Amino acid sequence: MIGGVSLVSLDSKGRLAIPAKHRETLLSAFGHRLVITLESSEHLLLYPEANWKPVEERLLKLPASNPALKRYQRLMLGHADLLEMDAAGRILLPARLRELVRLDKDVALVGMGNRFELWDAAQWDAQTDAALALDPAELAQHLGDFTL
C-alpha cells in the first residue's frame, strides 16, 4: 500500500527524490519504473509500472463513441510517460507536465493506495484545509453506509 504525505523539493533540473520510506517499498515491491500522467490541472498521478497496467487497460476499453470519455482517455494515455528511478532514487519529471500543473519547487507526494498524487505544496495545503472544513453532517450524507 502506498500512503502518507511527503513534502519534498524538486531540484533545479525538475527531479524529484522519492523519499526513502517510499523508495524502499517501491523498489522491493515494484522495481524502479514508474508511470507519470496528467489527470487534472491540479495534480499529476505517479504509478508503479505494475499498478499502471490495469489502469491503462481500463482506459483503452472506454467507448470511443463518447466524446468526453475519449478526451479523458487522450488526457491520461497521451500524457503517460515511463520514468526510471536513478541510483539515488530520483525521477526526472517531464517539463510539460510540471508546467501544466504548475509544479515549481515545493511539492507534496501523496500516497493514494495504488499510486501517488503529486501536488504543488501550497495547493495541497489548500486541499487539506478544504477537507478539514467539511461539514460532518454533509459528509455523512455522501458517505451513506460507508464506515472506516
Side-chain angles (χ1 to χ4, degrees):
M1 198 209 56
I2 298 170
V5 176
S6 298
L7 299 177
V8 294
S9 295
L10 301 181
D11 70 12
S12 61
K13 295 179 181 178
R15 291 180 299 194
L16 169 73
I18 303 292
K21 71 178 186 174
H22 296 305
R23 184 171 55 241
E24 293 165 8
T25 300
L26 289 171
L27 289 172
S28 65
F30 302 106
H32 63 279
R33 294 164 58 112
L34 302 165
V35 174
I36 192 164
T37 193
L38 179 66
E39 181 186 46
S40 77
S41 62
E42 297 180 325
H43 63 276
L44 300 175
L45 298 179
L46 186 62
Y47 286 87
E49 184 181 28
N51 289 359
W52 168 250
K53 292 296 183 190
V55 174
E56 181 181 43
E57 289 172 11
R58 287 194 313 271
L59 287 167
L60 287 168
K61 291 179 182 174
L62 290 175
S65 59
N66 183 316
L69 292 178
K70 191 66 177 174
R71 281 192 297 275
Y72 183 70
Q73 183 187 52
R74 284 188 189 117
L75 181 72
M76 292 282 290
L77 295 174
H79 288 283
D81 203 354
L82 183 63
L83 308 176
E84 295 200 28
M85 268 191 281
D86 66 14
R90 296 174 302 193
I91 54 172
L92 177 61
L93 302 178
R96 180 66 179 144
L97 291 180
R98 291 193 324 262
E99 291 168 10
L100 287 168
V101 296
R102 297 167 306 283
L103 296 182
D104 186 30
K105 177 104 175 113
D106 297 322
V107 300
L109 185 67
V110 182
M112 295 294 292
N114 68 335
R115 68 186 182 277
F116 294 99
E117 291 180 352
L118 192 57
W119 290 78
D120 169 78
Q123 289 295 323
W124 175 251
D125 287 344
Q127 288 290 321
T128 300
D129 291 344
L132 290 171
L134 287 172
D135 176 6
E138 181 183 343
L139 183 59
Q141 288 177 353
H142 293 290
L143 291 174
D145 293 334
F146 179 82
T147 59
L148 295 176

